[in-house]
Amino acid sequence: MRQINELNTSNRILMGPGPSDVHPRVLKAMSTPLVGHLDPEFLEVMDDIKQMTQQTLKTQNPLTFVVSAPGSAGMETCLVNLLEPGDEAVICIHGVFGTRLADIAERCGAKVIKVESEWGKPINPDDVKKALASCKPKLLAIVHAETSTGVLQPLEEISKLTKESGALLVVDAVTSYCGTDLRVDEWGIDALYSGSQKCLSAPPGLSPVTFSQAAIDVLDQRKTKVQSWFLDLTMVKNYWEGAKRAYHHTAPVSAMFAMRESLRLVLEEGLENRFKRHQQNHELLRDGLENLGFEFLVENAYRLPMLNAVKIPKGLDELAIRKQLLNEYNIEVGGGLGPFAGKIWRVGLMGESATINHVNMLLGALKAII
Amino acid sequence: MRQINELNTSNRILMGPGPSDVHPRVLKAMSTPLVGHLDPEFLEVMDDIKQMTQQTLKTQNPLTFVVSAPGSAGMETCLVNLLEPGDEAVICIHGVFGTRLADIAERCGAKVIKVESEWGKPINPDDVKKALASCKPKLLAIVHAETSTGVLQPLEEISKLTKESGALLVVDAVTSYCGTDLRVDEWGIDALYSGSQKCLSAPPGLSPVTFSQAAIDVLDQRKTKVQSWFLDLTMVKNYWEGAKRAYHHTAPVSAMFAMRESLRLVLEEGLENRFKRHQQNHELLRDGLENLGFEFLVENAYRLPMLNAVKIPKGLDELAIRKQLLNEYNIEVGGGLGPFAGKIWRVGLMGESATINHVNMLLGALKAII
């Protein structure tokens, strides 16, 4: 049996696809001694988080809260609550996370109609239109910021088409939330999930979600029980709202303390300033990487500022360089997923990691290595 | 919109049904700056946690890990992976958490055969025997420590009966783990889940689980996909073991740092010493509460040391006194759940909260109030 000593980690610079660096104020808030999950003081913390999540998502939805598990569980929350066996669901796939949406929708017993685009390109609204016309969709699900490819998916036209078809619009905003423009109400999004560990820069483990009245109506009209007890909104919402605040599960108190402080930091900075900061540092990084011979996977108009997917220049051993970055410079960047494994890097500029110093640290290290 | 200031909580003494008080070393470990969820240093943290979870559960099961969500998700993990539609499952119910097991098993499409006892009493092995003989059970699920009633359920005879029937034994050890004797291998437990926030005294949000080879065989022979993507062991296990350590979801890095330190504290104390400490402080609390007119719900032989369920003496306004304890003494004790709401208190002596000082604080406060 191995001897297990005090935790002794290296001081990493997190520039991968998440988690991102966490502000010291957030770490400090997280280390606050606990209160109970039904303590009036904790219920107030939940109210604070709800209010700030509404503000940062630009929504008035009363059913806005945080799932007590990572973003993948947020994805599952949206689908298991809105889909029943036999329903038809249009799922847009332009990367790993669209594929995951389709997998989960099938596990809900739904018939999945796929709209695909080449990975690295956005979904074409014309294809969406055809797919919506080919079935009676209960919902359309699409990834706003594909973390596997670095594509920013425009949503407004697809939202309009989805509304016209009578379906609900479900959006994955795991990587876009708090890093680029996102307007839940104005864009007509009915259900949305995100993650705590990307541009919000809280530790991983929580998934902010929001549901429109139309989504709640679908939930209220279900004929079958939600297949997941843990994610069943008909119960979870009684813990997050109403007079009684009924016990459902024990909330992750410390993680919620952290999230509250991360949200405060976002609002102190201001959303528009934050978006600008992500964009400006993306442009600096882009120029520097292009000078070093890296080429972006995604064309300029559809590029995510916080997730820079770049092709590895010929002749470079990408794995060896990533190891060197980690071991000699303490810098983490992400490798490719799925068909892009070994072919691209995913460089994150998320939340606290979207600074000029991060850009300079990485470019300086790469110049020395290459 | 409310003004949201820096987090400013009261210094609570946690003597409810969990979360319990958290050791400063755990809070300190949790506030360590993050490393990535695929960083070699984090994979080592996962290995550490796995090894210490095996030790504390007294098991050699290779498939021992931590679900990235609270105990309720651990419960769901065990059932969704082992049950398929049409399977028969014997579910023992002697409190809220047995009821939850039955609810989840039904959501898996299983036919549930219930074995019930009066809440506050353990399940009778004779009833288990009859139920097992009445069907072809895939599994039997039972709660070892019913947090809603304070009953410690003897497991050895029921395990023997379950094995004889050919069914798997699934055990809820949310409240017993690290607080009282629990022997996964010796007692023939095939699947078990717990929570981080009870006698382990880590913050809530994680669920340690373990699966025997027989359980893995059942998983390997499934005809249908696991209905939950997030909890699907066929994928989660590739993140926790094997050479590749494949990405599944982003693990809650900070919560895992905390859990690692909590496990270290448990092993430094020694499991048997820890069990003795829980028992001794339970006896002190019991004597004190009985002197004040409280009566235990559960008969002596089946009483949990870490969860003391006591009936409210006649004439006492239980809600007013709990509020006074919280507001004037910063002490949290739990109220009753379900049919026991307003009728009992649940006083926790869990992990870091199982000390003579905790007992004295509560008894001193109650003497002054009553």
Side-chain angles (χ1 to χ4, degrees), chain A residues 162-207:
Chain A
T162 306
K163 300 282 137 179
E164 284 166 7
S165 78
L168 297 173
L169 177 63
V170 177
V171 169
D172 176 322
V174 170
T175 292
S176 53
Y177 175 54
C178 291
T180 194
D181 200 17
L182 176 63
R183 308 174 189 199
V184 168
D185 289 355
E186 194 179 322
W187 292 352
I189 297 170
D190 292 300
L192 178 143
Y193 57 92
S194 187
S196 48
Q197 81 282 13
K198 309 272 186 180
C199 299
L200 178 59
S201 270
L206 296 178
S207 176

Side-chain angles (χ1 to χ4, degrees), chain A residues 1-2 4-5 10 12 39 41 48 51 76 100 107 226 228-230 232 248 260 264, chain B residues 1-2 4-5 10 12 39 41 48 51 76 100 107 226-230 232 248 260 264:
Chain A
M1 222 147 20
R2 290 170 308 116
I4 297 174
N5 297 316
S10 301
R12 300 300 199 207
D39 192 307
E41 292 187 0
D48 294 344
Q51 175 179 313
E76 193 156 322
R100 186 173 297 182
R107 290 172 196 244
V226 175
S228 169
W229 183 94
F230 176 57
D232 184 343
H248 176 256
R260 183 182 181 282
R264 270 170 34 89
Chain B
M1 223 149 17
R2 289 170 309 116
I4 296 175
N5 297 317
S10 301
R12 300 300 199 207
D39 193 307
E41 292 188 0
D48 294 343
Q51 174 179 312
E76 194 156 320
R100 186 172 297 181
R107 290 173 197 242
V226 175
Q227 67 191 33
S228 168
W229 183 94
F230 176 56
D232 185 341
H248 176 256
R260 183 182 180 283
R264 270 169 35 87

Side-chain angles (χ1 to χ4, degrees), chain B residues 249-265:
Chain B
H249 64 274
T250 305
V253 173
S254 305
M256 296 279 284
F257 286 173
M259 177 141 180
R260 183 182 180 283
E261 192 63 15
S262 295
L263 284 162
R264 270 169 35 87
L265 282 161

Side-chain angles (χ1 to χ4, degrees), chain A residues 21-50:
Chain A
D21 283 346
V22 173
H23 195 286
R25 270 173 54 185
V26 174
L27 296 175
K28 186 178 141 207
M30 185 163 57
S31 68
T32 306
L34 279 70
V35 301
H37 63 290
L38 294 169
D39 192 307
E41 292 187 0
F42 188 67
L43 300 181
E44 203 174 311
V45 165
M46 293 167 73
D47 289 343
D48 294 344
I49 288 173
K50 180 177 172 167

